[in-house]
Amino acid sequence: MSFHAVVPYGTPEHHRSQRAVLDEGTPFAYTPENRAKLEEICRRYPPEQRRSAVLAALYLVQEQQGYITAGAARHVAEVIGLTAAEVDDVVSYYVMFFRQPTGKYVLQVCRTLSCALNGAERVVDAIQDTLGIKVGETDPSGMFTLLEFECLGACDRAPVVMVNNEHWHERQTPETVTQLIDGLRAKGLAALTGCHLKVEK
């Protein structure tokens, strides 16, 4: 006697993964400079633990081509000794890795409790109104992508907007985030001031 339901394979009730697959993209290989950077990072680990450099390897892919493709995942797997499925698992788990092309500036708004209670939804609305896009989209100019983020760890300075996985802007309001976008349009990253991470560096 079994306590497990019998579900024939291939029926609608049978579990199927809902995870989106990576775009195939164009053939990928690290530039000589990025390959050298990766090898330098891999030397920090024992040779049999080279796979531990997977996050750094993926950051280098993203730096080189903007997002992670299936071809890039296979290349990373080959270079550091993982399977493509293992690399894909990492890409799908961490939100800082982009699975599709993004704009030049990726605006990620923290949506967890402190930020939500302090107006993150109004900040998202202001960005959507300013850029004419919804969360997950890139504006027609290709300059901005809007995403939501699960916890940036700055609850005392909520709500937080992160630009390009690096520059934090805290205590944002609809007015200040609109100024942030205007500044990025006019001066690029040089417009970013008062970033928490920059202050601590």
Side-chain angles (χ1 to χ4, degrees), residues 44-77:
R44 299 174 192 168
Y45 302 95
E48 67 276 12
Q49 296 298 321
R50 182 179 173 84
R51 58 183 23 210
S52 299
V54 64
L55 294 180
L58 289 169
Y59 273 122
L60 286 171
V61 171
Q62 197 156 274
E63 179 183 303
Q64 186 172 318
Q65 73 172 11
Y67 72 109
I68 313 295
T69 59
R74 286 194 302 274
H75 184 71
V76 168

Side-chain angles (χ1 to χ4, degrees), residues 168-184:
W168 286 8
H169 285 264
E170 303 149 347
R171 297 188 178 93
Q172 289 295 290
T173 65
E175 293 75 23
T176 59
V177 81
T178 301
Q179 292 167 6
L180 176 69
I181 291 169
D182 290 343
L184 285 167

Side-chain angles (χ1 to χ4, degrees), residues 3 32 37 42 67 87 89 109-110 112 130-131 138-139 164 174 177 194:
F3 293 99
K37 285 181 190 175
C42 287
Y67 72 109
V87 174
D89 285 346
V109 182
C110 181
T112 43
T130 301
L131 299 177
T138 299
D139 77 320
N164 291 358
V177 81

Side-chain angles (χ1 to χ4, degrees), residues 4-15:
H4 301 285
V6 176
V7 181
Y9 179 80
T11 63
E13 295 81 19
H14 188 82
H15 173 74

Side-chain angles (χ1 to χ4, degrees), residues 42-136:
C42 287
R43 281 193 285 277
R44 299 174 192 168
Y45 302 95
E48 67 276 12
Q49 296 298 321
R50 182 179 173 84
R51 58 183 23 210
S52 299
V54 64
L55 294 180
L58 289 169
Y59 273 122
L60 286 171
V61 171
Q62 197 156 274
E63 179 183 303
Q64 186 172 318
Q65 73 172 11
Y67 72 109
I68 313 295
T69 59
R74 286 194 302 274
H75 184 71
V76 168
E78 181 181 315
V79 169
I80 67 171
L82 290 168
T83 67
E86 289 170 326
V87 174
D88 188 44
D89 285 346
V90 174
V91 174
S92 64
Y93 181 78
Y94 290 104
V95 295
M96 67 276 206
F97 296 122
F98 306 131
R99 299 170 60 88
Q100 55 189 340
T102 63
K104 183 175 182 179
Y105 305 112
V106 180
L107 308 175
Q108 293 174 289
V109 182
C110 181
R111 66 180 182 185
T112 43
L113 185 59
S114 294
C115 286
L117 292 174
N118 284 287
E121 288 182 9
R122 290 192 302 276
V123 170
V124 169
D125 287 346
I127 295 172
Q128 291 181 144
D129 291 345
T130 301
L131 299 177
I133 59 174
K134 299 289 183 193
V135 172

Side-chain angles (χ1 to χ4, degrees), residues 33-48:
E33 296 77 19
N34 282 339
R35 180 62 187 262
K37 285 181 190 175
L38 179 58
E39 291 304 323
E40 174 62 30
I41 293 166
C42 287
R43 281 193 285 277
R44 299 174 192 168
Y45 302 95
E48 67 276 12

